[in-house]
Amino acid sequence: MLMTKDEMSDPSIVPEWLAREYKHFHKIVTNKTFPCTFGMAGEKKNELRYSYITHNDWSTLPKTLEEFIALFDSTKPLIRHGFFLFVEPEREEKTLEYYREYFWRILQFLHEQDDKPWPKDYPKDPDHHLWNFIFSEEPFFIFGNTPAYKQRKTRDLGNSLILGFQPRRIFEGLEGTTKGGIMSREKVRARVEKWDQLPKHPNISHYGDPEHREWKQFFIGDDAKPIEGECPFQHKQM
């Protein structure tokens, strides 16, 4: 179920809706003005990987994500692979809150299915500034994209809810406190603001910033208002 871009375009392998949504995704991400230059380069170099779930079947997702993690362990030197999960589109477009709740249900499902221990050096409480989502002992930054985004157009990649998974290790050398990381983020964020015609979302920062919470960056609002309330994610009882 872990697929390349060629497989995502093959009607003998994927459902019709997936081939259609991937085509739309590819067109957006490879647009020369698309803000995320890392995503654009990854798509062009065939470094991104993909999969999908339907509303009624998420069963393949844990093994698919494990396969994606294994891809990193088998390639040296490090290639900054990204993983995009396409969710079967709704018959009618839903609200942003609907997609946000769906997003967190998927992450909760992955957590419940995970048979590996939570790494001791990562807090279990999402309200801790060093919390990160972990699956199979791999820390991930995950971001949601939906058709319900009307102002933040960089988060609208088609008719599907699409979850982007980035292993924390792809940011090695580009951390928010390094010169390279600061410059890269400033460049991308300036391009994002130009696309969205909105200032940077107030919950966007870098991992480790004591004043920010990582979970709030996973699924930002379609506005410039800080996200309030508690994280939907609940650490399972062992």
Side-chain angles (χ1 to χ4, degrees):
M1 290 293 290
L2 187 67
M3 293 179 282
T4 64
K5 66 179 183 179
D6 289 338
E7 291 168 324
M8 287 287 282
S9 305
D10 188 340
S12 69
I13 296 177
V14 302
E16 181 182 351
W17 69 261
L18 183 59
R20 182 175 62 249
E21 290 305 317
Y22 170 69
K23 183 178 180 181
H24 189 85
F25 168 93
H26 176 81
K27 182 178 180 180
I28 293 173
V29 174
T30 57
N31 183 311
K32 65 180 180 180
T33 64
F34 186 67
C36 183
T37 52
F38 296 109
M40 183 193 305
E43 175 69 359
K44 291 181 176 180
K45 294 178 181 178
N46 198 25
E47 294 176 352
L48 304 186
R49 294 296 182 269
Y50 317 89
S51 193
Y52 72 96
I53 56 175
T54 65
H55 296 310
N56 298 321
D57 188 2
W58 300 0
S59 61
T60 59
L61 180 55
K63 289 297 183 182
T64 303
L65 198 52
E66 288 177 1
E67 187 179 347
F68 176 67
I69 294 169
L71 179 65
F72 277 85
D73 297 329
S74 65
T75 55
K76 303 294 180 184
L78 175 70
I79 296 176
R80 300 182 194 276
H81 294 290
F83 172 63
F84 286 86
L85 176 70
F86 288 69
V87 180
E88 177 187 8
E90 304 292 335
R91 292 187 177 182
E92 295 182 359
E93 184 181 309
K94 303 293 186 179
T95 65
L96 193 68
E97 285 306 314
Y98 173 89
Y99 292 111
R100 177 181 278 121
E101 190 269 340
Y102 204 133
F103 172 95
W104 284 106
R105 277 198 292 125
I106 292 172
L107 297 196
Q108 192 68 46
F109 168 79
L110 280 169
H111 177 59
E112 298 292 341
Q113 296 296 312
D114 192 0
D115 58 4
K116 297 288 182 64
W118 193 272
K120 293 182 179 180
D121 50 348
Y122 281 94
K124 296 179 179 179
D125 182 4
D127 196 42
H128 193 289
H129 71 282
L130 293 179
W131 178 86
N132 207 105
F133 182 78
I134 311 289
F135 180 77
S136 195
E137 302 182 301
E138 184 78 32
F140 282 97
F141 174 73
I142 306 166
F143 56 101
N145 309 271
T146 88
Y149 282 106
K150 303 304 179 186
Q151 298 187 88
R152 296 197 176 276
K153 301 183 188 302
T154 48
R155 294 296 180 107
D156 176 6
L157 300 178
N159 296 311
S160 290
L161 166 63
I162 301 175
L163 283 69
F165 289 73
Q166 296 177 311
R168 180 64 58 189
R169 52 177 138 167
I170 72 171
F171 300 116
E172 292 176 5
L174 296 173
E175 293 86 353
T177 54
T178 66
K179 183 178 180 180
I182 292 171
M183 291 179 63
S184 296
R185 282 168 171 76
E186 287 180 350
K187 181 180 179 180
V188 170
R189 287 169 182 171
R191 290 167 64 94
V192 168
E193 289 185 11
K194 186 175 181 179
W195 254 53
D196 292 348
Q197 296 296 300
L198 281 177
K200 181 186 75 171
H201 193 278
N203 288 121
I204 296 294
S205 184
H206 66 268
Y207 177 72
D209 182 345
E211 301 303 317
H212 286 261
R213 298 296 175 263
E214 189 73 357
W215 71 268
K216 294 185 178 183
Q217 303 187 73
F218 279 21
F219 201 112
I220 60 175
D222 194 26
D223 49 33
K225 298 178 182 179
I227 294 173
E228 299 180 352
E230 297 182 356
C231 179
F233 176 82
Q234 297 291 320
H235 199 282
K236 63 185 177 182
Q237 298 298 318
M238 303 300 291

